[in-house]
Amino acid sequence: MPSKILVVDDEIVYWTRLIEQIFEDKIENNEYEFSYAKDGREGLAKVNEIHPDLVLTDIKMPNLDGLAFLRQLNKSEHNVKSIIISAYGTIDHISQAMYERAYDFLVKPIDRQKLESSIRRILLVESELNQSKEILPPTNTKKQTSKVNYSSVLRLSKELPPPQQLNLVSDLVSQFSREQIQELEDKLPSLKLKMEENEEKQKVLEKEDEERIKQNKFPLNLLRQGYLEVLNQSRKTVSGEVRQYKYLCVRWIDPKTKKLRGRNLKKKDLKDPDVRRIIEEKMGRTIDFDNF
């Protein structure tokens, strides 16, 4: 039987397209089955109807937001794993997500590799737990009080875009005591040193990209920092036949304009071994580049 995944978000058209692009093979192979709900109220009804293995929910939605949806879901008899997805990556949102027992927190625009990896990891854990239940004797199933796990918050915060990381740090520092501020100031010299080392590494990578651009090659640093989209396009041939084409697009936030930008990878780019390696690392699987 396929793993049932419910997506709760008011942007259903966007999610339908995104899911079909990322999980086309798994849907065709009957590994994943996706359903959609436009808000928390409809999401709760869907949960009762289909009994999903995993829920992906946005935070800001009409009628019933994502956190209230999870809160009601956790009070019900359904034991469903969840992933919070939001454009707002503040410490309050991450902490609330952890309190509502969300297993992961992903930030929009969606990094496809992280989304695919998170879903695969959670479903794998759920599968192993179900197998263990068949072997181990029954235990007390009473729900325990949730606590925010430091390592989980730290891991999630590292996945935020730089502007949201800054907002997160500002939120935290504003709650510090005088003693904590002093401790932070004492650590600043070593933090600055580490920052300078990272900047030097970044300069080396940027110089490598400058040389690659001169050689008419795709910049690797841009590929590392951006996220990938698999897009489909219909084109009519000279004979009038309509053909479907797939191509890869890398998207990133421009540090100067703060706007989302995109660039398509051409066939010559996909012949570059370094480009292929980074794409496969980001997508977490072997890619048949002849299909693009």
Side-chain angles (χ1 to χ4, degrees), residues 193-209 221 224-225:
L193 181 61
K194 189 173 183 179
M195 178 198 68
E196 290 170 358
E197 291 173 353
N198 290 334
E199 286 180 344
E200 288 301 316
K201 291 178 182 178
Q202 183 67 22
K203 287 179 182 178
V204 171
L205 293 174
E206 289 175 355
K207 285 184 178 180
E208 290 177 357
D209 269 356
N221 204 34
R224 290 188 191 98
Q225 295 181 352

Side-chain angles (χ1 to χ4, degrees), residues 35 48 102 155 172 259:
S35 300
N48 290 324
R155 175 178 57 81
L172 285 171
K259 293 182 178 179

Side-chain angles (χ1 to χ4, degrees), residues 89-120:
T90 66
I91 187 62
D92 285 340
H93 281 127
I94 293 177
S95 296
Q96 288 177 59
M98 293 297 100
Y99 273 120
E100 298 306 333
R101 297 202 290 278
Y103 271 61
D104 211 342
F105 188 107
L106 301 180
V107 179
K108 293 180 179 180
I110 299 299
D111 183 305
R112 295 177 176 223
Q113 182 188 2
K114 289 178 181 176
L115 175 62
E116 189 175 16
S117 173
S118 183
I119 289 177
R120 183 174 62 248

Side-chain angles (χ1 to χ4, degrees), residues 60-252:
K60 295 200 72 174
M61 294 182 293
N63 297 323
L64 190 68
D65 67 36
L67 294 172
F69 163 69
L70 283 187
R71 200 170 299 121
Q72 292 194 30
L73 187 61
N74 289 331
K75 291 178 181 178
S76 71
E77 60 184 14
H78 301 286
N79 183 23
V80 186
K81 304 296 182 290
S82 59
I83 299 174
I84 284 279
I85 298 173
S86 178
Y88 306 91
T90 66
I91 187 62
D92 285 340
H93 281 127
I94 293 177
S95 296
Q96 288 177 59
M98 293 297 100
Y99 273 120
E100 298 306 333
R101 297 202 290 278
Y103 271 61
D104 211 342
F105 188 107
L106 301 180
V107 179
K108 293 180 179 180
I110 299 299
D111 183 305
R112 295 177 176 223
Q113 182 188 2
K114 289 178 181 176
L115 175 62
E116 189 175 16
S117 173
S118 183
I119 289 177
R120 183 174 62 248
R121 184 178 65 252
I122 293 171
L123 291 177
L124 178 62
V125 170
E126 178 68 7
S127 175
E128 291 175 348
L129 285 173
N130 288 336
Q131 290 177 17
S132 299
K133 288 175 184 177
E134 296 175 2
I135 302 171
L136 298 174
T139 56
N140 185 6
T141 57
K142 186 178 180 180
K143 291 181 180 178
Q144 298 179 355
T145 304
S146 299
K147 294 182 179 179
V148 176
N149 183 280
Y150 169 78
S151 60
S152 297
V153 174
L154 179 63
R155 175 178 57 81
L156 295 174
S157 65
K158 287 180 178 178
E159 295 180 357
L160 296 173
Q164 291 180 331
Q165 287 180 338
L166 182 60
N167 291 337
L168 184 62
V169 171
S170 298
D171 287 346
L172 285 171
V173 173
S174 66
Q175 300 173 38
F176 278 9
S177 64
R178 188 181 300 273
E179 291 76 14
Q180 288 174 313
I181 292 288
Q182 184 59 54
E183 286 182 23
L184 179 61
E185 289 178 346
D186 293 340
K187 291 179 179 179
L188 280 178
S190 61
L191 292 173
K192 287 180 180 179
L193 181 61
K194 189 173 183 179
M195 178 198 68
E196 290 170 358
E197 291 173 353
N198 290 334
E199 286 180 344
E200 288 301 316
K201 291 178 182 178
Q202 183 67 22
K203 287 179 182 178
V204 171
L205 293 174
E206 289 175 355
K207 285 184 178 180
E208 290 177 357
D209 269 356
E210 288 176 5
E211 291 301 316
R212 286 183 62 85
I213 291 171
K214 289 178 183 178
Q215 299 170 25
N216 202 25
K217 293 181 179 181
F218 199 92
L220 298 181
N221 204 34
L222 179 62
L223 195 57
R224 290 188 191 98
Q225 295 181 352
Y227 68 94
L228 290 166
E229 270 192 312
V230 180
L231 302 176
N232 297 296
Q233 188 176 38
S234 300
R235 291 181 186 174
K236 187 178 288 187
T237 62
V238 178
S239 62
E241 180 186 1
V242 177
R243 291 185 179 180
Q244 294 286 334
Y245 295 90
K246 289 200 302 185
Y247 59 96
L248 284 165
C249 175
V250 59
R251 298 193 184 277
W252 71 96

